[in-house]
Amino acid sequence: MDHKDSQVKGGVLIVHQILEGKHQYAVENVVKSRKREKMFMRKGDKLMQINGVDLQGLTPEELAQMLAEGNPMLTIHKPGTMKEHTPQSFPAEDTLRPISKENTVLSFRMEMKREEDLEKNKAGHEEEDKGDGSEEEDCHAENGQNGKGGDLLVISMVKTTISVVRGRGCDMSSPCGGCQGTGCTYNDVVVVSETREVVLVPRGGGFKQLKQANYTIRHAASQQYLRGLCMQNTVFASPNPEKITIYTYKTTYISWFSKGKPVVLNFTGSNCFLRCCKEGDQVLLRAETCEKQRLKQISRSDESALSFVFFMKSDSSLLKFESALHSGWFIQIVNSQSVKMATLDGGSEDHSFFFIIQK
């Protein structure tokens, strides 16, 4: 295969399972920066090796660390077209086949029961059917180990280049052990990036508050500071600084990892927060009161709470704040006093790529 270099953006979700005591890593989802962009992985691919080391013996933490070190080479198994097997139909002794039909009317008797009576009956049946419980316990242990919902290991990379250095067909001696497919291939892929970082994200829906720090936010061009009047729902620029507490969150929404750190901006020592909301066709920035307890954990489906969340991202030495609810709208100081939400024309290009391992 020809040597190919291409810079990738977006991310890949890799699901980890343990089967017969061996670690397995399969691609569950691919997030592209553009709809028609071609990725070096696709859903259903399996990761087999890293730097020549078989992944069956590596834990998710060990794999994440190796992805973050040097320029790792991944061996990826890409399944081909599965052979369709059409079984021949032969009558068997234990096969049931319809031989006649008839129309009739079925009569049922229904009666009302009190809820406590139902609970007693249910408890009685559970006691009778309990047995030794060994089979049920094994099933729960397997689901707990392999089921979805584990923590996420996020390997974030900047300016990532993918080089496919070798491709070969799948045969009987390949590590897949016979994948029952045709046209399968193995690709050796070298991953090169400028910077890498591994972060553990505890699983759980929405945004979870992680930490807080106090800052003053100053506009570099005008040297004005961000200030707010909650009584008037007003945000304005001033030469006098006002401290803002930035609450940093963790999120499990994969498509948002590249947008920056989820944050909530609070005027220090108060219940006054910055909020991005929409009225008609206008996207507005306001200072509004909110109970801090309500923002401890935020669901993506709760648009009212989500309107307080911004993505904070560094652009060289500057910070940008994009609304989580209204994508593409940023906090802007437009003159010496006015602060509002605005879209950015010709904004800097995002160069992030993520490997996300679901434990």
Side-chain angles (χ1 to χ4, degrees), residues 95 199 220 227 230 249 254 317 347:
T95 301
V199 177
R227 301 199 63 173
C230 233
Y249 290 70
I254 299 167
S317 60

Side-chain angles (χ1 to χ4, degrees), residues 7-14 30-33 37 39-41 67 74 154-162 191-193 195-197 257-258 313 350-356:
Q7 192 172 112
V8 292
K9 303 158 195 173
V12 175
L13 173 62
I14 300 165
V30 175
V31 178
K32 302 177 182 179
S33 59
E37 182 180 19
M39 292 288 279
F40 65 101
M41 287 185 183
L67 282 170
L74 287 169
V154 181
I155 305 94
S156 59
M157 301 179 173
V158 176
K159 293 186 177 179
T160 306
T161 301
I162 299 298
V191 183
V192 180
S193 60
T195 61
R196 309 166 191 85
E197 181 184 13
F257 284 166
S258 63
K313 193 164 189 178
D350 178 50
H351 295 283
S352 301
F353 182 79
F354 299 87
F355 282 104
I356 302 140

Side-chain angles (χ1 to χ4, degrees), residues 207-215 217 243-251 260-274 290-298 305 308-312 321:
F207 298 86
K208 289 186 177 180
Q209 198 174 104
L210 179 65
K211 61 181 180 179
Q212 67 182 71
N214 297 331
Y215 299 90
I217 298 180
K243 279 193 175 181
I244 290 181
T245 301
I246 299 180
Y247 292 92
T248 306
Y249 290 70
K250 282 189 176 182
T251 179
K261 291 181 180 179
V263 298
V264 166
L265 305 173
N266 166 238
F267 292 100
T268 304
S270 73
N271 282 336
C272 187
F273 295 82
L274 287 178
C290 183
E291 291 297 326
K292 292 181 180 179
Q293 187 63 32
R294 185 189 171 202
L295 301 178
K296 285 284 187 180
Q297 183 165 334
I298 301 172
F308 290 95
V309 179
F310 296 84
F311 293 115
M312 182 176 70
F321 295 91

Side-chain angles (χ1 to χ4, degrees), residues 74-124:
L74 287 169
T75 300
I76 303 168
H77 174 264
K78 306 180 79 64
T81 305
M82 299 299 292
K83 292 180 179 179
E84 293 187 4
H85 177 66
T86 305
Q88 294 182 351
S89 179
F90 295 103
E93 292 181 0
D94 58 351
T95 301
L96 299 177
R97 296 185 299 277
I99 58 173
S100 66
K101 67 176 182 178
E102 62 178 298
N103 297 325
T104 187
V105 176
L106 298 177
S107 298
F108 296 90
R109 182 172 66 88
M110 294 184 289
E111 61 180 346
M112 304 298 292
K113 287 277 190 179
R114 292 186 304 171
E115 186 175 0
E116 47 266 41
D117 292 336
L118 292 174
E119 290 297 327
K120 289 179 182 178
N121 289 338
K122 181 180 177 183

Side-chain angles (χ1 to χ4, degrees), residues 310-324:
F310 296 84
F311 293 115
M312 182 176 70
K313 193 164 189 178
S314 175
D315 183 7
S316 301
S317 60
L318 305 177
L319 290 175
K320 296 187 299 184
F321 295 91
E322 180 185 6
S323 169

